[in-house]
Amino acid sequence: MDSAVNETPVVYSGQFGDYTITEGDRRGVVLYRAGLAVAALTFGAGAAIALFFPHNPTLVQAISVLYTLFWLGLGLSLATIHIYLVPLHRLLQAAWLGGGVASLVLSHGIDGPLAQTVMQTPAVLWGLGFTFVALTGIFFKEAFCFDRLETKLLTPLVPLLLLGHLAGWLPLGVEQGLLTVWAVLFLVFALRKVVQPIVPDIGDKSVFTYLKQQRSATQKLS
């Protein structure tokens, strides 16, 4: 007798019909959360270096490597995140890509570490900052969908810090405080995502199907 048991797929009732959750759906959520974990850990490590070891040249230089890993982790999350509105999803991906291109240009056009350039020349955030626009989009989505306190705080905190640094109206002590809060809340967010049930992160698949059908119908009419 075969010991394997074929489990009947669970059928969920969505807004526009019934649907089932596949292994591919679950794998996508795992990858989304893994990307967030990488981004949160590397961002936290980079922030710790900037706050506590700002005069160690080797560690400050390492922030560039940490930023690259952060950017890649964020990219993985943006590739696997479930967002109903396709234009918004593509906009966040475009912002992520734009920030990456700006970072690459900066890394080849400056002599010192990237972190040092950001501190001394805030104007580089006009390009580099698009990476964090994409990250803020994820925070906003999570705050809207799951009512998470940490993402509710991070959604305004990130642009406040970046725009404040760009405009030059935030004292250094305030910037350091906001950076610390950002790093801690980001780690809390990533940790809570690890233990969150997978199915809610997938969302209502009937909505995705309905929106896809609507786009197809619109394209046929045009």
Side-chain angles (χ1 to χ4, degrees), residues 77-97:
S77 293
L78 286 169
T80 51
I81 192 174
H82 289 79
I83 297 179
Y84 294 130
L85 299 178
V86 173
L88 176 59
H89 193 179
R90 297 291 177 262
L91 179 63
L92 294 181
Q93 290 176 324
W96 168 81
L97 182 60

Side-chain angles (χ1 to χ4, degrees), residues 51-166:
L51 290 167
F52 302 112
F53 305 98
H55 304 298
N56 186 314
T58 302
L59 290 178
V60 171
Q61 186 66 54
I63 293 179
S64 298
V65 177
L66 291 170
Y67 172 81
T68 300
L69 294 174
F70 158 81
W71 183 79
L72 291 173
L74 181 61
L76 176 60
S77 293
L78 286 169
T80 51
I81 192 174
H82 289 79
I83 297 179
Y84 294 130
L85 299 178
V86 173
L88 176 59
H89 193 179
R90 297 291 177 262
L91 179 63
L92 294 181
Q93 290 176 324
W96 168 81
L97 182 60
V101 171
S103 305
L104 184 63
V105 171
L106 283 172
S107 65
H108 288 284
I110 60 177
D111 295 327
L114 181 60
Q116 187 178 46
T117 302
V118 172
M119 287 301 299
Q120 296 178 350
T121 314
V124 300
L125 287 174
W126 286 114
L128 187 67
F130 281 106
T131 298
F132 300 102
V133 169
L135 177 62
T136 305
I138 291 181
F139 292 153
F140 176 80
K141 180 263 185 186
E142 291 283 341
F144 180 81
C145 293
F146 298 108
D147 197 30
R148 293 192 178 280
L149 176 61
E150 63 270 23
T151 51
K152 285 183 177 180
L153 295 173
L154 284 166
T155 298
L157 185 152
V158 174
L160 172 64
L161 174 55
L162 296 181
L163 291 175
H165 181 63
L166 182 61

